[in-house]
Amino acid sequence: MAKVKPLPEAAAASSPPSQQGEQKPPAVYTVWMKSLVFSGNGCTVYGADGCLAYRVDNYGCRGGREVFFMDRGGNNLIRIQRKSFCMFRRWEACLCFDDGEETRPWFRVHRTWKNGAAVAMHGSGRRATTYKIDGCSRKSDYKISGADGAIVAAIARKQTASGVVLGEDVLTLTVGPEVDHLLVLGLVVVFGLINRFL
C-alpha cells in the first residue's frame, strides 16, 4: 500500500520518479465516521500507515450548515457550506488558503433523484457535471466517477485481513492515482453531510 501524507505536495515530493509505463498504485484511506472530539460530530481519516491524516469536526448539530475539513495539524483545507432554497439543497466547497481565512470556490454538489449526487467544479458552467457519486442513500458503499463514467474512487465497509467486516461507520476509501485525493475526500465528507452521517 502507498504511504499517505496529509498534503498532496508532500506526497509528490517524497515519491520517486515513476518508470515509463509504470502506474502508481491507488491510495487507500480508512474513514471513521466519528469525531475525535468528545460529543462532537464529524469524521476522521487515517492513511495507509495508520496515522491520522485528516479530520472533520462539526461542533454544532449533526448535518450543520458549515463544516471544515482539516489536516492532522488542525489547519483548514476545505470549507463546506450547505445552501438551502426551499426543498432544494446544495453544498458548496471552498479551498482554504494558508492562513485558513481566505477561501476560493472549488466545487458544488447537489443530490440527484437516483440516490446519488452530481458534482460541478467551480467555473465549469451551471449545468456541467464533472463527477458523479453513485450509491444508495444511508448506505456505506458507493463510487465516485468522472464525466466519462470511469470510476475514480470507491468507498466500502472496511474488512480486516481475516475477512471480518467492521461496522457501517468504518470505511475503506480507495482513490485512483489520476484524481486529486483532497477533492475525493471532500466529496466523501459532502456525501456524509447529505446523508446526515456527520
Side-chain angles (χ1 to χ4, degrees):
M1 287 195 233
K3 185 171 184 178
V4 179
K5 300 276 185 183
L7 297 174
E9 300 88 46
S14 67
S15 61
S18 60
Q19 297 175 358
Q20 198 163 29
E22 180 184 332
Q23 284 205 346
K24 292 199 298 190
V28 179
Y29 296 93
T30 298
V31 181
W32 185 34
M33 300 303 274
K34 297 283 183 188
S35 173
L36 291 177
V37 177
F38 179 70
S39 73
N41 299 305
C43 70
T44 309
V45 180
Y46 298 91
D49 59 359
C51 294
L52 176 68
Y54 303 99
R55 63 190 175 104
V56 174
D57 291 317
N58 178 6
Y59 303 106
C61 61
R62 186 177 293 264
R65 298 187 71 81
E66 181 177 59
V67 298
F68 289 92
F69 186 81
M70 299 173 274
D71 64 9
R72 73 174 115 207
N75 301 310
N76 293 335
L77 301 176
I78 307 172
R79 183 184 75 196
I80 301 169
Q81 293 179 307
R82 184 180 74 207
K83 306 284 186 175
S84 298
F85 297 102
C86 298
M87 61 186 249
F88 301 104
R89 288 185 182 171
R90 74 176 191 276
W91 286 259
E92 293 183 358
C94 296
L95 274 175
C96 296
F97 293 117
D98 293 335
D99 57 6
E101 296 295 324
E102 297 294 320
T103 60
R104 177 174 54 96
W106 194 14
F107 64 86
R108 63 186 177 279
V109 179
H110 70 274
R111 188 177 213 142
T112 61
W113 297 109
K114 298 179 181 177
N115 291 326
V119 181
M121 302 306 291
H122 180 71
S124 62
R126 187 171 170 183
R127 301 208 179 254
T129 299
T130 51
Y131 292 95
K132 289 190 305 186
I133 304 173
D134 297 315
C136 297
S137 61
R138 296 266 181 213
K139 297 284 183 179
S140 51
D141 296 341
Y142 54 92
K143 294 176 177 28
I144 299 172
S145 56
D148 60 355
I151 296 172
V152 296
I155 196 158
R157 287 176 63 182
K158 186 166 183 76
Q159 280 191 348
T160 64
S162 60
V164 176
V165 179
L166 301 179
E168 288 191 3
D169 61 345
V170 183
L171 310 170
T172 296
L173 171 64
T174 307
V175 184
E178 70 283 349
V179 68
D180 183 353
H181 293 199
L182 191 58
L183 170 65
V184 170
L185 288 161
L187 295 177
V188 169
V189 171
V190 170
F191 204 63
L193 289 167
I194 288 173
N195 293 312
R196 295 193 175 271
F197 292 137
L198 303 178

